[in-house]
Amino acid sequence: MVVSAHAELPRPAAATPDPQAVRTFVHHALERARVLGRQLPPPGEGATGELWRQLSALGRTDLAHARIIEPHLDALAILRQAGREDLAAGGHTWAVWAAEGPGEPLRAVPTADDAAGPGAGAPAGARAWTLTGTKPWCSLADSVTRAVVTAHVCDENGEPTGHRRAFVVATDHPGFEPEPVTRWISHGLAEVVTVPVAFDAVPAEPLGADEWYLTRPGFAWGGMGVAAIWLGGAQSVADLLWSQLRHPRRPVDDAAFTALGQLDLTLGAARAVLERAAAAVDRGDAVGQRGAAWALRVRRTVADAAEEVIRVVSRATGPGPLTGDPGHIRRVESLQVYIRQDHAERDTAALGRSLLELAEHTAQDSVQEEDTPW
C-alpha cells in the first residue's frame, strides 16, 4: 500500500478554521489511523524502512493529518513492545503524552492490590494506580479515547520515588479535564489542538516497569518515525519550487537551478540517513545507546534539512507563495511548528557526547584511526 502525495483530504479552507471543520478533519484522520494501524508494519520487526516511507508519504500529503495518525501508530507499537496488545482491542483511537513541563508533575499513586484501570487483561493481583496532577502538551485530548501517558511514580504514602512510568488511561473518566481548546492558537498544525490536561484520580493501567518507557529500544525508533514525517513535510514544501520550474512562466536562471540542486542534495541526504537508520533498527543495531545515537543523528539531520528547504524555497520563490498561497503557507507553518520537537543545538551536543561514550565503551587495546562514526 502506498500513500498518495496527492490524496484528497477534508481540510479546513480558512486560515483560522472553524471548530466544526477542525472536528471533521480530526475525525477523518483518526479513522484513517485505525485503518493504518492494522495495515502498516510495526517498527523493529523487519519492515521499518517501509513503515517510515509510508510515514513520509503521509507527511508529504498533509502534515496535520500525519501528526494525528503518528501517535496512534506509536501507541500501538508501545503496547506491542510491552506485551499488552490486549489493550489495543476495541477500536480505540490513541495518543501518546510524554512531555514534561514546569510546575508540579503528573503523579502516579498506587491505590490497592486489585487490578483496575482501562484494561481488562492485567495480571491477577496487579496493583491499581491513579493519576493526579497536570500533564502539558496533550495533543487531541478532546478527540482520542485512550492515551499512553508518562507520570512520576509515588509510593503508597504519596511520596515520589524518583522514577517515571508509562500508563494507559481512558479519556472518558470524569477526572480527566483538558483545558479549553481556545488555549491552542497556533497557525501551524492548527487542527492538532494541544493543551494541558488536569488529572484527578484517573484510573491508569501501567505499561512496563519504572523507566521502561524511556529505556526501551522503541523509544528511539518512535522518535525516528516522527522525523520520517518531517521529511515528508519538507518534501511538500520543496514541491512548490519543482512545480514552478517544471512549468515556468519565465526562463529558468542559474539561481533557480542552484536552488533546485540544493533541494535535491539536502532532501537526498536526509532520506539516506533515514534509510540507513531503518536498516540498523531491523538488524538489531539500534538499541540502547546506539539506538539513542541513531535517533539524535536522524532527527537532527532531518530537522536541519527541513529548515534548509524552507530557506531555499523562500529565497527562490519570493514573497508571493508566502502571502498568496494558503496551501504553501499552511505547509511551511506546520513544518516549522512540528520540527520544534527537535531540541536543535542541545541535541547536536547530546549526539557528540553519545558518540564519544560509545567509543569508550567499545574501545579495544589498539584503536585504529578509522574507528570513527563516519
Side-chain angles (χ1 to χ4, degrees), residues 147-216:
V148 175
V149 57
T150 58
H152 292 254
V153 176
C154 296
D155 62 19
E156 293 82 352
N157 299 316
E159 294 298 321
T161 65
H163 295 288
R164 277 189 288 173
R165 195 170 186 179
F167 296 86
V168 168
V169 297
T171 62
D172 59 356
H173 188 272
F176 181 91
E177 284 288 336
E179 289 197 6
V181 297
T182 53
R183 289 284 304 274
W184 182 245
I185 59 175
S186 175
H187 285 190
L189 300 178
E191 302 84 2
V192 191
V193 175
T194 303
V195 296
V197 171
F199 290 73
D200 184 8
V202 176
E205 184 83 47
L207 289 179
D210 291 353
E211 312 301 341
W212 171 82
Y213 175 84
L214 295 172
T215 57
R216 65 194 165 89

Side-chain angles (χ1 to χ4, degrees), residues 44-46 48 217 221 276-288 290-291 294:
E45 297 186 20
T48 305
W221 306 343
R276 286 184 59 213
V281 168
D282 285 336
R283 68 172 178 264
D285 196 30
V287 297
R290 290 186 181 277
W294 267 115

Side-chain angles (χ1 to χ4, degrees), residues 260-283:
L260 185 61
Q262 185 59 55
L263 292 180
D264 181 71
L265 295 173
T266 299
L267 291 170
R271 186 171 59 248
V273 169
L274 265 167
E275 290 172 354
R276 286 184 59 213
V281 168
D282 285 336
R283 68 172 178 264

